[in-house]
Amino acid sequence: MNFSESFKLSGLLCRFSPDGKYLASCAQYRLVVRDVKTLQILQLYTCLDQIQHIEWSADSLFILCAMYRRGLVQVWSLEQPEWHCKIDEGSAGLVASCWSPDGRHILNTTEFHLRITVWSLCTKSVSYIKYPKACQQGVTFTRDGRYLALAERRDCRDYVSIFVCSDWQLLRHFDTDTQDLTGIEWAPNGCVLAAWDTCLEYKILLYSLDGRLLSAYCAYEWSLGIKSVSWSPSSQFLAIGSYDGKVRLLNHVTWKMITEFGHPAAINNPKTVVYKEAEKIPQLGHLSFPPPRAMAGALSASESKYNVPNAVWIWDIQKLKLFVVLEHMSAVRSFQWDPQQPRLAICTGGSKVYLWSPAGCVSVQVPGEGDFPVLGLCWHLSGDSLALLSKEHFCLCFLEPTKEGLGTACGLQDGHA
């Protein structure tokens, strides 16, 4: 494992391009685009104010920079550096900005969620979508980019509208049986839309593309309900994280629960592997994983207790059982799956990065002068490198190819969850 030098960063704004060729990062009001292989600067753009959000277009030809405080979006072209676009929402303000899947339209959400403005880079035309709801996740595109689902609130009721992205025409409009719709998300295959209610009401609804209600699920009543929702890549499972500390798995045939995974305060199953971080003084603070056989036996035979925010749980979806638990000394800040193999990267806000795979687990000290608290992670699509983000700097971590990579955790990956 090798590390690059560190570069300046602000707002944890560091993104690989979808094609994997470029790396964009922000330092205050400057946008820097580097070549991934050499880390040489290819383009340096200067924005009108401090950048608060960046996003690549799907074809990696454009990148948008949003400055919410100024109500501005600036768009830059990699092929034509002299070309650029500025979108000013004026007095309407700006709270969110994103690309459409075709990479030629930008969707801006105005303050107070009064409307969504769709700007075309090709025709310079403008379309308006009214009544967007201010909720946790109110906009979702199908993976093929054909449809947009939008959560709406009008006349004190919740609705979902489905638009065709080619011309932004309304395809379907239906109300949802929710008290306060909190989020919506398409299944990866684009056939089913999940919509879930406020945490005060445990309810998740499954709709078809034509707006038919396929199923509704409620695990319990009179207590805080749904906390997070995630589809499996195959669209065969829907994972629901709940405030009772359990993850419930629904199947795509009957939409009934097939199993639930708990987070007990103690693990008694001798077959469950528990990796526990421990302080070690010698040489760069490396941990030896997997532990010696005698130590592993002692860990699994004894009862293990730990602080839940410090632990990452990994389940085997094929066998529907707990696979491994990773316990850290500090609360987990972020974790990300390798896009190419079952390998999980974890950070806890300290100067180490943690990697797990079915072969074992390792922690690595980030080298360099001074402290480098790792607050965020970002994988390259090849899985060969990893961007490590701190408050004011970032660096790249290069991983050597292995036969068995050094995985998923309430996101789903085929085989594990």
Side-chain angles (χ1 to χ4, degrees):
M1 187 180 294
N2 298 309
F3 293 84
S4 72
E5 62 178 298
S6 63
F7 304 98
K8 288 186 177 181
L9 185 71
S10 61
L12 300 180
L13 297 176
C14 181
R15 306 286 186 270
F16 288 107
S17 62
D19 63 8
K21 294 180 181 179
Y22 312 109
L23 177 64
S25 62
C26 294
Q28 303 301 327
Y29 55 88
R30 289 189 174 90
L31 172 68
V32 183
V33 178
R34 300 176 187 271
D35 182 278
V36 163
K37 293 182 179 179
T38 65
L39 294 182
Q40 295 298 310
I41 296 177
L42 300 178
Q43 301 294 342
L44 178 62
Y45 304 105
T46 302
C47 293
L48 297 173
D49 202 343
Q50 182 168 341
I51 304 167
Q52 295 172 273
H53 172 70
I54 61 172
E55 187 175 326
W56 286 96
S57 63
D59 56 10
S60 303
L61 296 180
F62 298 92
I63 185 167
L64 71 79
C65 301
M67 291 142 277
Y68 296 135
R69 285 192 290 265
R70 291 273 297 269
L72 289 175
V73 171
Q74 288 185 267
V75 186
W76 307 97
S77 168
L78 265 69
E79 287 188 331
Q80 304 175 50
E82 68 281 357
W83 178 96
H84 81 280
C85 167
K86 183 179 78 170
I87 300 173
D88 189 345
E89 291 291 349
S91 60
L94 182 68
V95 296
S97 183
C98 69
W99 286 103
S100 67
D102 67 359
R104 296 299 179 269
H105 294 81
I106 292 174
L107 282 70
N108 284 345
T109 304
T110 62
E111 285 187 345
F112 309 110
H113 285 73
L114 297 178
R115 67 171 186 249
I116 292 178
T117 310
V118 183
W119 301 85
S120 171
L121 296 186
C122 299
T123 65
K124 299 183 181 179
S125 61
V126 182
S127 303
Y128 298 100
I129 302 175
K130 296 181 179 180
Y131 311 113
K133 183 172 184 179
C135 59
Q136 187 182 68
Q137 185 175 325
V139 176
T140 178
F141 291 95
T142 54
R143 186 164 292 184
D144 61 10
R146 295 181 62 187
Y147 303 108
L148 160 69
L150 175 71
E152 298 181 355
R153 185 75 173 181
R154 59 176 81 178
D155 301 325
C156 300
R157 296 185 63 183
D158 292 324
Y159 296 86
V160 168
S161 287
I162 299 177
F163 296 88
V164 180
C165 293
S166 58
D167 55 10
W168 306 105
Q169 294 299 308
L170 181 66
L171 178 67
R172 293 285 186 274
H173 176 74
F174 53 92
D175 63 338
T176 60
D177 185 21
T178 52
Q179 291 186 8
D180 187 5
L181 182 62
T182 297
I184 54 176
E185 185 174 351
W186 286 107
N189 61 13
C191 295
V192 180
L193 179 70
W196 56 98
D197 211 335
T198 171
C199 63
L200 301 177
E201 179 79 11
Y202 200 118
K203 181 185 291 185
I204 188 163
L205 307 166
L206 290 309
Y207 293 96
S208 65
L209 184 59
D210 60 6
R212 289 180 297 113
L213 179 63
L214 301 175
S215 185
Y217 176 75
C218 175
Y220 53 80
E221 295 179 323
W222 315 117
S223 186
L224 289 178
I226 296 173
K227 193 172 187 179
S228 61
V229 173
S230 179
W231 287 97
S232 70
S234 65
S235 303
Q236 293 178 308
F237 304 105
L238 180 63
I240 306 171
S242 310
Y243 279 91
D244 66 348
K246 295 180 180 179
V247 176
R248 292 169 173 85
L249 222 59
L250 307 187
N251 74 82
H252 74 298
V253 179
T254 64
W255 301 113
K256 303 297 183 184
M257 187 183 74
I258 56 175
T259 191
E260 66 179 24
F261 300 124
H263 300 74
I267 295 177
N268 300 312
N269 188 343
K271 294 183 179 180
T272 300
V273 178
V274 178
Y275 291 113
K276 183 173 182 178
E277 183 184 7
E279 287 281 8
K280 278 186 89 173
I281 299 175
Q283 299 181 3
L284 294 179
H286 282 264
L287 297 180
S288 176
F289 286 113
R293 185 170 299 179
M295 184 185 299
L299 272 175
S300 59
S302 62
E303 186 178 84
S304 302
K305 295 185 178 180
Y306 48 85
N307 186 353
V308 171
N310 297 15
V312 174
W313 301 65
I314 300 173
W315 288 275
D316 188 322
I317 294 302
Q318 293 177 341
K319 298 180 180 178
L320 295 178
K321 69 176 185 179
L322 182 62
F323 190 70
V324 69
V325 177
L326 312 174
E327 183 186 353
H328 305 85
M329 291 189 293
S330 302
V332 174
R333 295 293 298 262
S334 177
F335 54 80
Q336 294 270 335
W337 282 110
D338 184 328
Q340 299 297 328
Q341 58 180 301
R343 177 166 57 184
L344 188 68
I346 307 164
C347 66
T348 62
S351 56
K352 296 177 183 177
V353 59
Y354 306 85
L355 293 172
W356 172 89
S357 83
C361 187
V362 66
S363 72
V364 180
Q365 179 79 32
V366 179
E369 297 181 1
D371 192 25
F372 192 100
V374 184
L375 304 177
L377 305 163
C378 183
W379 280 100
H380 187 269
L381 63 84
S382 68
D384 293 338
S385 61
L386 181 69
L388 307 179
L389 317 179
S390 73
K391 187 176 181 180
E392 296 180 346
H393 296 89
F394 78 93
C395 70
L396 290 191
C397 171
F398 300 96
L399 291 85
E400 297 179 1
T402 57
K403 292 183 180 179
E404 278 193 341
L406 270 182
T408 257
C410 198
L412 289 181
Q413 179 181 23
D414 286 339
H416 294 83

